[in-house]
Amino acid sequence: MNLIKQSRKILTTFVLIAVLMITTACAGGTITQSDRTTTPPAIGRSVTYSELERGNTPTGQTFGNWVVQTSKGLVQDAYVRDNNKLGVVISPQVRPNEVKPLAKSLAQGFRKNFPNQDLTVLVYGPDRKLILTAKYDTQTNQIQYT
């Protein structure tokens, strides 16, 4: 009797594994850009950094890609949220005295692509810790750093 119970548990385990493998393989639908834009941002949730997208809108995605491609290695990664928040991860080759001018330059480029709104640039170190926040105010046309 004990052998039958143990055999049934083993068989049930294999059937469950087979069902999970088949449903996972068959349920892999294609995610479109419109699906991505309606997904709430991953910031603040417990996810790995690599799961973040470059932008939660098509324009933001394009700008995030452009920042990384044109930074000549100064920016390792970038993301744009809600077309008014830019986060960048700088590389180790950026010296501490270069962080503020880099943030200012990013804020100016960000303002040209997303005009007529207050903007925030978040600069993260290579360890993914926030080191500088630059807030651009459209009313005063000034950038404040914290």
Side-chain angles (χ1 to χ4, degrees):
M1 187 69 168
N2 196 15
L3 182 64
I4 293 173
K5 285 183 178 180
Q6 188 175 6
S7 298
R8 189 181 324 159
K9 285 182 180 180
I10 292 172
L11 181 63
T12 303
T13 303
F14 282 121
V15 169
L16 181 60
I17 290 171
V19 167
L20 288 173
M21 288 175 51
I22 290 170
T23 56
T24 302
C26 294
T30 305
I31 297 175
T32 63
Q33 184 65 33
S34 62
D35 293 334
R36 291 182 190 161
T37 58
T38 59
T39 304
I43 302 297
R45 295 191 325 213
S46 178
V47 297
T48 62
Y49 189 85
S50 62
E51 293 177 18
L52 297 175
E53 299 175 22
R54 289 264 163 85
N56 63 348
T57 64
T59 308
Q61 181 86 21
T62 301
F63 187 75
N65 288 334
W66 178 83
V67 167
V68 173
Q69 291 169 357
T70 59
S71 71
K72 299 179 183 175
L74 297 177
V75 175
Q76 293 178 338
D77 200 4
Y79 68 88
V80 176
R81 296 293 179 259
D82 304 324
N83 292 338
N84 66 358
K85 188 177 292 178
L86 170 64
V88 295
V89 178
I90 58 173
S91 71
Q93 71 189 53
V94 177
R95 288 184 241 136
N97 63 337
E98 298 173 331
V99 174
K100 196 171 182 180
L102 177 62
K104 181 178 181 178
S105 177
L106 288 167
Q108 290 170 342
F110 197 34
R111 180 179 55 133
K112 289 179 184 176
N113 286 277
F114 301 94
N116 304 323
Q117 60 181 327
D118 294 339
L119 304 170
T120 303
V121 176
L122 304 166
V123 181
Y124 296 90
D127 60 354
R128 311 281 195 264
K129 292 184 180 176
L130 183 64
I131 56 175
L132 181 71
T133 301
K135 294 188 178 195
Y136 171 76
D137 184 5
T138 56
Q139 298 284 335
T140 63
N141 202 24
Q142 298 290 317
I143 300 175
Q144 289 194 338
Y145 302 95
T146 55

PDB file of all heavy atoms in Angstrom, residues 51-75:
ATOM      1  N   GLU A  51      15.628  44.370 -15.374  1.00  0.00           N
ATOM      2  CA  GLU A  51      14.250  44.245 -15.837  1.00  0.00           C
ATOM      3  C   GLU A  51      13.639  45.586 -16.218  1.00  0.00           C
ATOM      4  O   GLU A  51      12.563  45.637 -16.788  1.00  0.00           O
ATOM      5  CB  GLU A  51      13.391  43.594 -14.758  1.00  0.00           C
ATOM      6  CG  GLU A  51      13.749  42.149 -14.500  1.00  0.00           C
ATOM      7  CD  GLU A  51      12.932  41.558 -13.373  1.00  0.00           C
ATOM      8  OE1 GLU A  51      11.881  42.123 -13.028  1.00  0.00           O
ATOM      9  OE2 GLU A  51      13.342  40.529 -12.843  1.00  0.00           O
ATOM     10  N   LEU A  52      14.310  46.679 -15.897  1.00  0.00           N
ATOM     11  CA  LEU A  52      13.777  47.995 -16.230  1.00  0.00           C
ATOM     12  C   LEU A  52      13.884  48.264 -17.720  1.00  0.00           C
ATOM     13  O   LEU A  52      14.834  47.855 -18.365  1.00  0.00           O
ATOM     14  CB  LEU A  52      14.544  49.083 -15.482  1.00  0.00           C
ATOM     15  CG  LEU A  52      14.439  49.045 -13.973  1.00  0.00           C
ATOM     16  CD1 LEU A  52      15.333  50.106 -13.374  1.00  0.00           C
ATOM     17  CD2 LEU A  52      13.023  49.248 -13.521  1.00  0.00           C
ATOM     18  N   GLU A  53      12.937  48.968 -18.246  1.00  0.00           N
ATOM     19  CA  GLU A  53      12.972  49.358 -19.642  1.00  0.00           C
ATOM     20  C   GLU A  53      13.593  50.743 -19.752  1.00  0.00           C
ATOM     21  O   GLU A  53      13.673  51.477 -18.794  1.00  0.00           O
ATOM     22  CB  GLU A  53      11.557  49.382 -20.207  1.00  0.00           C
ATOM     23  CG  GLU A  53      10.880  48.038 -20.155  1.00  0.00           C
ATOM     24  CD  GLU A  53       9.445  48.116 -20.616  1.00  0.00           C
ATOM     25  OE1 GLU A  53       9.094  49.055 -21.346  1.00  0.00           O
ATOM     26  OE2 GLU A  53       8.677  47.244 -20.238  1.00  0.00           O
ATOM     27  N   ARG A  54      13.992  51.108 -20.964  1.00  0.00           N
ATOM     28  CA  ARG A  54      14.586  52.434 -21.168  1.00  0.00           C
ATOM     29  C   ARG A  54      13.547  53.530 -21.111  1.00  0.00           C
ATOM     30  O   ARG A  54      13.866  54.675 -20.842  1.00  0.00           O
ATOM     31  CB  ARG A  54      15.291  52.478 -22.528  1.00  0.00           C
ATOM     32  CG  ARG A  54      16.543  51.654 -22.546  1.00  0.00           C
ATOM     33  CD  ARG A  54      17.747  52.527 -22.263  1.00  0.00           C
ATOM     34  NE  ARG A  54      18.907  51.782 -21.892  1.00  0.00           N
ATOM     35  CZ  ARG A  54      19.768  51.246 -22.735  1.00  0.00           C
ATOM     36  NH1 ARG A  54      19.603  51.367 -24.017  1.00  0.00           N
ATOM     37  NH2 ARG A  54      20.799  50.576 -22.287  1.00  0.00           N
ATOM     38  N   GLY A  55      12.289  53.216 -21.351  1.00  0.00           N
ATOM     39  CA  GLY A  55      11.242  54.227 -21.296  1.00  0.00           C
ATOM     40  C   GLY A  55       9.880  53.573 -21.211  1.00  0.00           C
ATOM     41  O   GLY A  55       9.678  52.498 -21.761  1.00  0.00           O
ATOM     42  N   ASN A  56       8.947  54.220 -20.532  1.00  0.00           N
ATOM     43  CA  ASN A  56       7.605  53.650 -20.470  1.00  0.00           C
ATOM     44  C   ASN A  56       6.672  54.281 -21.507  1.00  0.00           C
ATOM     45  O   ASN A  56       5.474  54.083 -21.457  1.00  0.00           O
ATOM     46  CB  ASN A  56       7.020  53.736 -19.058  1.00  0.00           C
ATOM     47  CG  ASN A  56       6.822  55.145 -18.559  1.00  0.00           C
ATOM     48  OD1 ASN A  56       7.304  56.109 -19.152  1.00  0.00           O
ATOM     49  ND2 ASN A  56       6.112  55.284 -17.454  1.00  0.00           N
ATOM     50  N   THR A  57       7.257  55.047 -22.438  1.00  0.00           N
ATOM     51  CA  THR A  57       6.533  55.526 -23.619  1.00  0.00           C
ATOM     52  C   THR A  57       7.478  55.338 -24.803  1.00  0.00           C
ATOM     53  O   THR A  57       8.698  55.259 -24.618  1.00  0.00           O
ATOM     54  CB  THR A  57       6.162  57.020 -23.507  1.00  0.00           C
ATOM     55  OG1 THR A  57       7.363  57.792 -23.463  1.00  0.00           O
ATOM     56  CG2 THR A  57       5.316  57.307 -22.278  1.00  0.00           C
ATOM     57  N   PRO A  58       6.967  55.271 -26.015  1.00  0.00           N
ATOM     58  CA  PRO A  58       7.860  55.126 -27.175  1.00  0.00           C
ATOM     59  C   PRO A  58       8.881  56.260 -27.282  1.00  0.00           C
ATOM     60  O   PRO A  58      10.058  56.019 -27.562  1.00  0.00           O
ATOM     61  CB  PRO A  58       6.904  55.121 -28.370  1.00  0.00           C
ATOM     62  CG  PRO A  58       5.614  54.631 -27.810  1.00  0.00           C
ATOM     63  CD  PRO A  58       5.558  55.160 -26.404  1.00  0.00           C
ATOM     64  N   THR A  59       8.454  57.497 -27.022  1.00  0.00           N
ATOM     65  CA  THR A  59       9.375  58.631 -27.089  1.00  0.00           C
ATOM     66  C   THR A  59      10.429  58.537 -25.997  1.00  0.00           C
ATOM     67  O   THR A  59      11.610  58.797 -26.229  1.00  0.00           O
ATOM     68  CB  THR A  59       8.597  59.956 -26.959  1.00  0.00           C
ATOM     69  OG1 THR A  59       7.527  59.967 -27.905  1.00  0.00           O
ATOM     70  CG2 THR A  59       9.496  61.150 -27.201  1.00  0.00           C
ATOM     71  N   GLY A  60      10.013  58.149 -24.816  1.00  0.00           N
ATOM     72  CA  GLY A  60      10.951  57.974 -23.713  1.00  0.00           C
ATOM     73  C   GLY A  60      11.939  56.861 -23.990  1.00  0.00           C
ATOM     74  O   GLY A  60      13.138  56.972 -23.697  1.00  0.00           O
ATOM     75  N   GLN A  61      11.458  55.769 -24.563  1.00  0.00           N
ATOM     76  CA  GLN A  61      12.325  54.641 -24.928  1.00  0.00           C
ATOM     77  C   GLN A  61      13.387  55.099 -25.926  1.00  0.00           C
ATOM     78  O   GLN A  61      14.570  54.804 -25.768  1.00  0.00           O
ATOM     79  CB  GLN A  61      11.476  53.525 -25.535  1.00  0.00           C
ATOM     80  CG  GLN A  61      12.232  52.293 -25.934  1.00  0.00           C
ATOM     81  CD  GLN A  61      12.402  51.317 -24.791  1.00  0.00           C
ATOM     82  OE1 GLN A  61      11.660  51.347 -23.821  1.00  0.00           O
ATOM     83  NE2 GLN A  61      13.379  50.459 -24.901  1.00  0.00           N
ATOM     84  N   THR A  62      12.982  55.867 -26.912  1.00  0.00           N
ATOM     85  CA  THR A  62      13.917  56.367 -27.921  1.00  0.00           C
ATOM     86  C   THR A  62      14.950  57.302 -27.303  1.00  0.00           C
ATOM     87  O   THR A  62      16.148  57.192 -27.590  1.00  0.00           O
ATOM     88  CB  THR A  62      13.142  57.111 -29.036  1.00  0.00           C
ATOM     89  OG1 THR A  62      12.206  56.202 -29.619  1.00  0.00           O
ATOM     90  CG2 THR A  62      14.067  57.632 -30.111  1.00  0.00           C
ATOM     91  N   PHE A  63      14.514  58.191 -26.421  1.00  0.00           N
ATOM     92  CA  PHE A  63      15.447  59.121 -25.789  1.00  0.00           C
ATOM     93  C   PHE A  63      16.420  58.378 -24.875  1.00  0.00           C
ATOM     94  O   PHE A  63      17.614  58.675 -24.856  1.00  0.00           O
ATOM     95  CB  PHE A  63      14.709  60.205 -25.012  1.00  0.00           C
ATOM     96  CG  PHE A  63      15.622  61.271 -24.476  1.00  0.00           C
ATOM     97  CD1 PHE A  63      16.158  62.227 -25.318  1.00  0.00           C
ATOM     98  CD2 PHE A  63      15.970  61.301 -23.138  1.00  0.00           C
ATOM     99  CE1 PHE A  63      17.019  63.208 -24.842  1.00  0.00           C
ATOM    100  CE2 PHE A  63      16.826  62.275 -22.643  1.00  0.00           C
ATOM    101  CZ  PHE A  63      17.355  63.231 -23.494  1.00  0.00           C
ATOM    102  N   GLY A  64      15.932  57.411 -24.112  1.00  0.00           N
ATOM    103  CA  GLY A  64      16.806  56.615 -23.249  1.00  0.00           C
ATOM    104  C   GLY A  64      17.877  55.882 -24.046  1.00  0.00           C
ATOM    105  O   GLY A  64      19.048  55.847 -23.663  1.00  0.00           O
ATOM    106  N   ASN A  65      17.472  55.299 -25.170  1.00  0.00           N
ATOM    107  CA  ASN A  65      18.442  54.628 -26.042  1.00  0.00           C
ATOM    108  C   ASN A  65      19.458  55.621 -26.588  1.00  0.00           C
ATOM    109  O   ASN A  65      20.654  55.334 -26.645  1.00  0.00           O
ATOM    110  CB  ASN A  65      17.728  53.928 -27.204  1.00  0.00           C
ATOM    111  CG  ASN A  65      16.968  52.706 -26.768  1.00  0.00           C
ATOM    112  OD1 ASN A  65      17.286  52.073 -25.769  1.00  0.00           O
ATOM    113  ND2 ASN A  65      15.925  52.375 -27.510  1.00  0.00           N
ATOM    114  N   TRP A  66      18.990  56.795 -26.994  1.00  0.00           N
ATOM    115  CA  TRP A  66      19.877  57.813 -27.555  1.00  0.00           C
ATOM    116  C   TRP A  66      20.905  58.265 -26.522  1.00  0.00           C
ATOM    117  O   TRP A  66      22.081  58.441 -26.844  1.00  0.00           O
ATOM    118  CB  TRP A  66      19.053  59.004 -28.051  1.00  0.00           C
ATOM    119  CG  TRP A  66      19.889  60.103 -28.594  1.00  0.00           C
ATOM    120  CD1 TRP A  66      20.402  60.203 -29.850  1.00  0.00           C
ATOM    121  CD2 TRP A  66      20.323  61.277 -27.891  1.00  0.00           C
ATOM    122  NE1 TRP A  66      21.127  61.360 -29.971  1.00  0.00           N
ATOM    123  CE2 TRP A  66      21.103  62.037 -28.783  1.00  0.00           C
ATOM    124  CE3 TRP A  66      20.133  61.753 -26.604  1.00  0.00           C
ATOM    125  CZ2 TRP A  66      21.676  63.253 -28.425  1.00  0.00           C
ATOM    126  CZ3 TRP A  66      20.712  62.947 -26.239  1.00  0.00           C
ATOM    127  CH2 TRP A  66      21.480  63.683 -27.152  1.00  0.00           C
ATOM    128  N   VAL A  67      20.480  58.456 -25.281  1.00  0.00           N
ATOM    129  CA  VAL A  67      21.400  58.889 -24.223  1.00  0.00           C
ATOM    130  C   VAL A  67      22.539  57.885 -24.066  1.00  0.00           C
ATOM    131  O   VAL A  67      23.712  58.254 -24.021  1.00  0.00           O
ATOM    132  CB  VAL A  67      20.653  59.093 -22.881  1.00  0.00           C
ATOM    133  CG1 VAL A  67      21.622  59.234 -21.716  1.00  0.00           C
ATOM    134  CG2 VAL A  67      19.750  60.312 -22.948  1.00  0.00           C
ATOM    135  N   VAL A  68      22.206  56.611 -23.998  1.00  0.00           N
ATOM    136  CA  VAL A  68      23.233  55.587 -23.802  1.00  0.00           C
ATOM    137  C   VAL A  68      24.156  55.509 -25.022  1.00  0.00           C
ATOM    138  O   VAL A  68      25.380  55.438 -24.883  1.00  0.00           O
ATOM    139  CB  VAL A  68      22.587  54.216 -23.517  1.00  0.00           C
ATOM    140  CG1 VAL A  68      23.636  53.113 -23.488  1.00  0.00           C
ATOM    141  CG2 VAL A  68      21.829  54.256 -22.204  1.00  0.00           C
ATOM    142  N   GLN A  69      23.591  55.573 -26.218  1.00  0.00           N
ATOM    143  CA  GLN A  69      24.390  55.432 -27.434  1.00  0.00           C
ATOM    144  C   GLN A  69      25.318  56.613 -27.671  1.00  0.00           C
ATOM    145  O   GLN A  69      26.415  56.444 -28.170  1.00  0.00           O
ATOM    146  CB  GLN A  69      23.480  55.233 -28.645  1.00  0.00           C
ATOM    147  CG  GLN A  69      22.765  53.902 -28.634  1.00  0.00           C
ATOM    148  CD  GLN A  69      21.668  53.825 -29.678  1.00  0.00           C
ATOM    149  OE1 GLN A  69      21.405  54.780 -30.386  1.00  0.00           O
ATOM    150  NE2 GLN A  69      21.010  52.682 -29.756  1.00  0.00           N
ATOM    151  N   THR A  70      24.903  57.800 -27.319  1.00  0.00           N
ATOM    152  CA  THR A  70      25.707  58.985 -27.620  1.00  0.00           C
ATOM    153  C   THR A  70      26.595  59.428 -26.461  1.00  0.00           C
ATOM    154  O   THR A  70      27.339  60.386 -26.602  1.00  0.00           O
ATOM    155  CB  THR A  70      24.815  60.170 -28.032  1.00  0.00           C
ATOM    156  OG1 THR A  70      23.914  60.463 -26.976  1.00  0.00           O
ATOM    157  CG2 THR A  70      24.063  59.868 -29.309  1.00  0.00           C
ATOM    158  N   SER A  71      26.545  58.738 -25.348  1.00  0.00           N
ATOM    159  CA  SER A  71      27.300  59.174 -24.167  1.00  0.00           C
ATOM    160  C   SER A  71      28.780  58.802 -24.214  1.00  0.00           C
ATOM    161  O   SER A  71      29.533  59.198 -23.331  1.00  0.00           O
ATOM    162  CB  SER A  71      26.678  58.581 -22.907  1.00  0.00           C
ATOM    163  OG  SER A  71      26.917  57.184 -22.856  1.00  0.00           O
ATOM    164  N   LYS A  72      29.185  58.067 -25.206  1.00  0.00           N
ATOM    165  CA  LYS A  72      30.592  57.657 -25.359  1.00  0.00           C
ATOM    166  C   LYS A  72      31.113  56.941 -24.125  1.00  0.00           C
ATOM    167  O   LYS A  72      32.219  57.168 -23.662  1.00  0.00           O
ATOM    168  CB  LYS A  72      31.475  58.858 -25.693  1.00  0.00           C
ATOM    169  CG  LYS A  72      31.091  59.538 -26.988  1.00  0.00           C
ATOM    170  CD  LYS A  72      31.972  60.722 -27.254  1.00  0.00           C
ATOM    171  CE  LYS A  72      31.505  61.414 -28.524  1.00  0.00           C
ATOM    172  NZ  LYS A  72      32.232  62.645 -28.789  1.00  0.00           N
ATOM    173  N   GLY A  73      30.268  56.096 -23.559  1.00  0.00           N
ATOM    174  CA  GLY A  73      30.677  55.296 -22.413  1.00  0.00           C
ATOM    175  C   GLY A  73      30.497  55.949 -21.064  1.00  0.00           C
ATOM    176  O   GLY A  73      30.745  55.323 -20.039  1.00  0.00           O
ATOM    177  N   LEU A  74      30.067  57.204 -21.011  1.00  0.00           N
ATOM    178  CA  LEU A  74      29.863  57.876 -19.725  1.00  0.00           C
ATOM    179  C   LEU A  74      28.606  57.391 -19.014  1.00  0.00           C
ATOM    180  O   LEU A  74      28.532  57.385 -17.796  1.00  0.00           O
ATOM    181  CB  LEU A  74      29.793  59.393 -19.907  1.00  0.00           C
ATOM    182  CG  LEU A  74      31.055  60.071 -20.442  1.00  0.00           C
ATOM    183  CD1 LEU A  74      30.816  61.559 -20.628  1.00  0.00           C
ATOM    184  CD2 LEU A  74      32.232  59.826 -19.517  1.00  0.00           C
ATOM    185  N   VAL A  75      27.599  57.001 -19.791  1.00  0.00           N
ATOM    186  CA  VAL A  75      26.332  56.522 -19.232  1.00  0.00           C
ATOM    187  C   VAL A  75      26.182  55.050 -19.582  1.00  0.00           C
ATOM    188  O   VAL A  75      26.175  54.678 -20.762  1.00  0.00           O
ATOM    189  CB  VAL A  75      25.139  57.341 -19.781  1.00  0.00           C
ATOM    190  CG1 VAL A  75      23.821  56.763 -19.289  1.00  0.00           C
ATOM    191  CG2 VAL A  75      25.259  58.796 -19.380  1.00  0.00           C
TER     192      VAL A  75
END
